[in-house]
């Protein structure tokens, strides 16, 4: 990303997603055309000039002068707790991007799509779901979303609303609601098999979340017979169990 200019961004709105995560809507100086799945780099500058920057996936694309991100606060983290708990509407920060050309979904794609999210890895996949809906695409989508508990689930209401051609499977890893069709536990090959597409359908698979989660799911998909070239991955960070 070296050479890409930093642009001024202002927080227009903040929405609580869960008790430890928030969505920020930003106004960004200058237009940018983003593709679902891309990310931006966000830079904070302290009064003494100290800067810290981190990458965040775009949760929604389409508006040229807007950027929307959803941030999970990592305990003890330098940047994420500030973005979730402390930043106020009207605050200024800097942003550059969008970046990424492989982990993207474009409305021209008509093949079936499998999205597999671990925890906050659902953010760029939500951008793809929204882009599909906005484009009126008929591409069949399936989302498998692995999350610790209902309380930690992002975009709960939106993912429950009917969206023809989108099937959603939620796999709770720590605590499942009573009515959940599977008990709490880590995502298994059987979950990926049932909630996904048969390899014969040649879906494009997008897997996003903590590094360990992404590697495990990508291995499962290949073991199930999916072409590794159709398995696209995005790793958010070193730990976490999605
Ligand atoms: C391509 C990409 C896209 C990303 N998109 C998003 C997004 O949409 N939403 C989002 O919330 N985050 C996203 N992240 C993660 C984000 O960039 C930061 O790493 C995260 O917010 C933690 O930053 P921090 O400054 O709070 O923690 P740091 O101060 O950097 O780290 C504090 C501690 O937490 C650990 N840690 C760092 N990152 C994670 C993590 N992701 N999970 C668990 N432990 C971690 C570190 O090893 C360290 O021990 C993305 C990362 C990448 C690489």
């Amino acid at each position: 990303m070296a050479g890409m200019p930093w642009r001024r961004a202002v927080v227009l709105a903040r929405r609580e997603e869960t008790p430890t995560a928030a969505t920020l809507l930003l106004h960004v100086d200058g237009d940018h055309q983003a593709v679902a799945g891309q990310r931006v780099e966000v830079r904070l500058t302290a009064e003494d000039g100290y800067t810290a920057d981190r990458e965040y996936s775009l949760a929604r694309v389409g508006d040229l002068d807007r950027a929307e991100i959803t941030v999970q606060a990592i305990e003890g983290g330098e940047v994420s707790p500030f973005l979730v708990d402390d930043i106020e509407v009207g605050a200024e920060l800097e942003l550059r991007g969008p970046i990424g050309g492989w982990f993207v979904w474009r409305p021209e794609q008509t093949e079936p799509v499998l999205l597999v999210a671990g925890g906050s890895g659902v953010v760029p996949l939500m951008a793809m779901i929204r882009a599909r809906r906005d484009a009126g695409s008929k591409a069949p989508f399936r989302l498998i979303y692995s999350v610790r508990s209902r309380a930690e689930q992002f975009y709960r209401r939106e993912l429950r609303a009917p969206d023809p051609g989108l099937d959603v499977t939620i796999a709770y890893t720590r605590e499942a609601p009573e009515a959940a069709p599977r008990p709490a536990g880590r995502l298994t090959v059987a979950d990926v098999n049932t909630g996904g597409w048969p390899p014969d359908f040649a879906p494009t698979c997008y897997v996003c979340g903590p590094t360990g989660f992404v590697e495990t799911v990508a291995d499962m998909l290949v073991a199930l017979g999916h072409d590794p070239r159709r398995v696209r991955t995005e790793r958010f960070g070193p730990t976490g169990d999605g």
Side-chain angles (χ1 to χ4, degrees):
M1 241 184 309
M4 254 196 187
W6 285 101
R7 290 183 286 151
R8 192 180 75 110
V10 178
V11 180
L12 291 179
R14 177 194 177 279
R15 186 176 65 239
E16 189 172 294
E17 212 57 69
T18 73
T20 56
T23 292
L24 299 177
L25 176 64
L26 308 168
H27 176 272
V28 187
D29 280 356
D31 288 351
H32 65 279
Q33 186 76 60
V35 183
Q38 284 190 308
R39 59 196 194 272
V40 292
E41 200 173 350
V42 169
R43 180 160 80 180
L44 302 177
T45 304
E47 271 170 24
D48 64 1
Y50 172 78
T51 62
D53 44 69
R54 298 288 182 277
E55 291 182 88
Y56 292 99
S57 302
L58 292 167
R60 190 191 300 272
V61 297
D63 283 333
L64 297 180
D65 61 353
R66 299 274 191 278
E68 194 174 311
I69 58 173
T70 304
V71 181
Q72 171 68 51
I74 302 286
E75 221 182 306
E78 192 177 30
V79 170
S80 60
F82 175 78
L83 292 177
V84 174
D85 298 322
D86 300 330
I87 204 159
E88 290 175 1
V89 170
E92 280 187 26
L93 37 78
E94 286 172 292
L95 184 148
R96 65 179 176 183
I99 50 160
W102 172 243
F103 194 82
V104 292
W105 180 83
R106 297 172 196 276
E108 301 88 85
Q109 291 177 234
T110 53
E111 76 283 4
V113 165
L114 172 62
L115 309 172
V116 189
S120 55
V122 73
V123 177
L125 308 184
M126 194 68 206
M128 296 179 190
I129 290 170
R130 289 167 166 165
R132 170 187 180 275
R133 196 191 305 140
D134 291 347
S137 160
K138 298 272 184 291
F141 268 38
R142 288 187 175 169
L143 167 69
I144 305 174
Y145 180 7
S146 167
V147 62
R148 287 181 186 167
S149 66
R150 200 156 178 275
E152 296 205 20
Q153 194 187 324
F154 292 5
Y155 318 124
R156 209 154 61 198
R157 190 173 306 170
E158 194 174 342
L159 286 175
R160 252 201 331 245
D163 188 346
L166 168 70
D167 292 327
V168 178
T169 302
I170 311 282
Y172 298 97
T173 59
R174 297 258 176 102
E175 194 187 319
E178 248 172 49
R182 77 193 266 295
R186 282 185 179 240
L187 204 65
T188 64
V189 179
D191 293 322
V192 175
N193 195 25
T194 316
W197 298 102
D200 292 357
F201 286 41
T204 302
C205 306
Y206 298 87
V207 187
C208 185
T211 302
F213 174 89
V214 169
E215 282 165 7
T216 304
V217 174
D219 287 348
M220 286 177 184
L221 287 167
V222 173
L224 285 168
H226 291 274
D227 181 343
R229 285 167 303 186
R230 302 192 78 89
V231 179
R232 305 186 188 191
T233 57
E234 182 92 296
R235 294 160 172 79
F236 269 14
T239 56
D241 70 358

